Amino acid sequence: MQRYQLLSQDEIHMIHENSLRIMENVGIVFTYQPAKEIFARAGAKVDGDLVYFPRQLVERELKNVPSSFTMYARNPKKNVEISTENTAYVGPYGSPFVRDLDHGRRSGTLEDFKNIVKICDVLKNIDIQSHISCEPCDVDVDIRAKVMVYNTLKYSDKPLMGSVYGYEKSKQCIEMAAMVFGGMDAIRDKPVIASIPCTLTPLSYDDNMAGAIIAYAETGQPQLVNSLSIAGMTTPTTLAGLVSLQNAEILAGIVLAQCVNPGAPIVYSASGSNAEMSNGMLAIGSPEDALVSLVNGQLAKFYNIPCRISGALTDSKIMDSQAAYESAVTLMMAQMAGGNFILHAAGIIETYNTISYEKLIIDNEIIGYLKRINQGVRVDEETLAYDVIKEVGPRGLFLTHEHTIENFRDEFYRPTLSDRVPFGQWSAEGGIPIEQKANTKWKQILADYGEHTLPADLDADLKKYAEKR
């Protein structure tokens, strides 16, 4: 599928040059001493906590970033190739609250976390499990990251993500994932767990995120070096200014990872949007969010690096029409921008704050539509169907033709949720709204889930590791 080009290559180059000016003359704050030492050895100028990046250093390290890699799953059939061409869809990440039609909005619990992992494991259009499927607020923060990794490994055999809360917690999550694949030596050239270290905008990294970048780079695990920038609040109001600053931050994190381990797998990750200036809140269902996604997609292609773009985003507080249209637009823009790792692809409402059980199901349907669109239209003698048209002729019937029987299953997307029955049948069956159908479906998924598939001895070892303080 051809990707949408919002800016010309000259304009993309101008943003790149502006980012390099920022990195070289304004600098990026790093307070983590090991990171500053790594930068100094690589040729950066370090003045206290400010790191200044020479152009040559940035351009040299960008050349080391691979344009593709494979994320390995516990089930080899679910391995996912991450590249500048493919698109992988990833579950919700980081919300402290959950909501469903039965119980409304509430703080997330470990039970909610397990439920969301199970649902995302069953949903065919979700390719990768996130780390914080929701925040399990009833789990001690000291072991929360490990408990989330343990339960993700236990209840899903898809690729997964891990913690970015500092060097040590990151290493613990990596070690847990490695236990499933034969140990740390076995995963050094085999990415099995990804992370998303985030900048402290504007133009800084805290100790936790810098430590996480080093931990994942040392072990050859992929990371989505990320910036969440807010135009008018943490960056200039102009979107070109936002993207320039955001790009400088991301490039600094990429340089750190490559200085630690040249060739470490990276996903260029950016999720900038605008502030709602009447109240100072971040807006993620806005057209500006979609525009920034399009530019970020072009920048990542300019660097020939896979890119993460956020998916089905909305500022709506419930699963309603606003949630539907904002999510459809932002998810569609993510794909049109050439996003390769679509985080928050399902479930998000209330500006990242809440996961909706029903929206997980509805967004999965939207992803199914987009995956079909991304396949495009095959044009050859078989699909042109001239012989079939000639045989059936004017006023003929294609419905019963052998060509139709042979092709419709592959040619047409079959909805898993959307209603296409006649009105009379829909009415006779109760006229059930789509949100209620989604409510019934997620409950059925959990009822039918069955037992987890981790071997008992491995399950016991992982549980013991996760609960150790």
Side-chain angles (χ1 to χ4, degrees):
M1 178 178 175
Q2 295 297 314
R3 303 304 178 186
Y4 191 83
Q5 301 290 298
L6 182 70
L7 301 181
S8 69
Q9 283 301 104
D10 286 344
E11 290 169 325
I12 289 293
H13 187 73
M14 288 172 65
I15 291 171
H16 168 70
E17 289 293 326
N18 200 31
S19 297
L20 292 183
R21 282 193 297 176
I22 293 168
M23 297 177 74
E24 190 161 23
N25 301 319
V26 181
I28 313 287
V29 168
F30 281 85
T31 55
Y32 192 56
Q33 187 60 32
K36 291 189 284 186
E37 293 171 0
I38 290 167
F39 284 133
R41 289 195 298 269
K45 177 185 174 183
V46 179
D47 183 5
D49 291 337
L50 265 176
V51 179
Y52 300 92
F53 294 81
R55 167 190 290 269
Q56 296 82 356
L57 170 61
V58 178
E59 293 179 338
R60 181 186 75 211
E61 298 304 333
L62 279 174
K63 293 177 182 177
N64 291 326
V65 181
S67 60
S68 65
F69 59 90
T70 299
M71 283 198 68
Y72 291 87
R74 193 157 60 79
N75 179 352
K77 293 180 180 179
K78 297 182 180 180
N79 292 348
V80 175
E81 182 186 358
I82 305 296
S83 74
T84 57
E85 298 300 325
N86 294 343
T87 301
Y89 293 88
V90 192
Y93 189 108
S95 302
F97 301 102
V98 297
R99 173 184 279 275
D100 63 59
L101 290 180
D102 303 292
H103 303 103
R105 183 180 186 266
R106 60 193 184 277
S107 293
T109 65
L110 182 58
E111 188 65 25
D112 289 309
F113 180 91
K114 294 176 184 178
N115 287 344
I116 294 169
V117 169
K118 291 176 182 178
I119 292 169
C120 289
D121 186 56
V122 171
L123 294 177
K124 294 185 182 300
N125 292 323
I126 299 296
D127 303 303
I128 298 171
Q129 294 277 3
S130 78
H131 174 50
I132 311 174
S133 293
C134 76
E135 193 76 50
C137 299
D138 54 346
V139 177
D140 192 314
V141 293
D142 187 51
I143 60 170
R144 190 177 293 175
K146 293 189 294 179
V147 168
M148 288 189 288
V149 169
Y150 163 64
N151 282 285
T152 305
L153 286 166
K154 181 173 182 175
Y155 294 111
S156 178
D157 57 2
K158 295 179 179 181
L160 76 159
M161 298 178 69
S163 175
V164 290
Y165 296 133
Y167 182 84
E168 292 300 330
K169 280 189 170 64
S170 297
K171 286 294 289 288
Q172 291 167 1
C173 292
I174 296 167
E175 288 169 1
M176 289 183 71
M179 292 168 67
V180 177
F181 292 89
M184 292 295 287
D185 289 340
I187 69 165
R188 293 197 180 276
D189 297 315
K190 187 176 184 178
V192 300
I193 184 168
S195 70
I196 181 167
C198 193
T199 67
L200 184 60
T201 307
L203 300 175
S204 68
Y205 281 80
D206 69 14
D207 289 4
N208 283 335
M209 298 302 160
I213 289 174
I214 294 172
Y216 280 88
E218 283 178 347
T219 53
Q221 300 308 298
Q223 44 196 316
L224 290 66
V225 181
N226 181 65
S227 171
L228 172 54
S229 300
I230 309 174
M233 297 289 288
T234 64
T235 77
T237 303
T238 54
L239 298 188
L242 176 150
V243 174
S244 296
L245 183 148
Q246 183 173 259
N247 188 44
E249 294 178 350
I250 294 168
L251 295 184
I254 293 174
V255 169
L256 176 57
Q258 296 307 307
C259 287
V260 172
N261 181 8
I266 295 292
V267 176
Y268 183 103
S269 178
S271 50
S273 190
N274 63 298
E276 171 49 57
M277 299 305 287
S278 65
N279 56 31
M281 292 287 290
L282 168 67
I284 62 172
S286 65
E288 288 75 24
D289 182 280
L291 287 167
V292 172
S293 292
L294 290 170
V295 177
N296 288 332
Q298 284 190 254
L299 275 170
K301 298 297 181 282
F302 177 78
Y303 299 125
N304 198 29
I305 300 173
C307 66
R308 168 260 173 154
I309 298 175
S310 287
L313 305 182
T314 179
D315 300 307
S316 179
K317 312 307 179 282
I318 59 174
M319 183 58 246
D320 60 2
S321 296
Q322 178 185 344
Y325 65 71
E326 289 183 347
S327 296
V329 168
T330 55
L331 192 57
M332 183 168 59
M333 287 301 105
Q335 180 162 298
M336 290 176 66
N340 311 115
F341 194 110
I342 310 298
L343 190 61
H344 303 114
I348 292 290
I349 59 172
E350 197 194 332
T351 320
Y352 293 128
N353 283 316
T354 300
I355 307 297
S356 161
Y357 276 71
E358 287 76 31
K359 193 167 182 287
L360 283 169
I361 306 301
I362 292 169
D363 288 340
N364 180 70
E365 182 81 299
I366 301 174
I367 298 169
Y369 278 62
L370 292 180
K371 283 189 172 184
R372 172 61 188 95
I373 293 168
N374 200 41
Q375 291 173 7
V377 176
R378 181 167 64 95
V379 180
D380 55 28
E381 286 302 313
E382 168 69 12
T383 62
L384 289 170
Y386 172 78
D387 291 339
V388 178
I389 295 168
K390 182 178 180 181
E391 181 180 337
V392 174
R395 296 192 175 183
L397 181 65
F398 289 92
L399 178 62
T400 57
H401 196 280
E402 183 179 348
H403 184 271
T404 301
I405 305 302
E406 290 176 351
N407 286 282
F408 81 91
R409 289 182 178 86
D410 294 330
E411 193 75 6
F412 302 158
Y413 172 73
R414 186 170 180 82
T416 59
L417 186 68
S418 301
D419 187 282
R420 293 179 175 176
V421 302
F423 177 82
Q425 181 181 341
W426 173 78
S427 182
E429 292 173 351
I432 301 171
I434 204 73
E435 295 86 357
Q436 192 60 56
K437 287 181 67 176
N439 177 271
T440 300
K441 182 157 187 171
W442 71 254
K443 291 177 182 175
Q444 193 62 53
I445 287 174
L446 294 180
D448 296 342
Y449 180 80
E451 297 298 320
H452 68 85
T453 56
L454 271 180
D457 56 342
L458 179 57
D459 183 23
D461 289 344
L462 282 166
K463 189 171 188 290
K464 181 179 179 181
Y465 189 107
E467 294 177 347
K468 183 179 179 181
R469 295 179 181 276

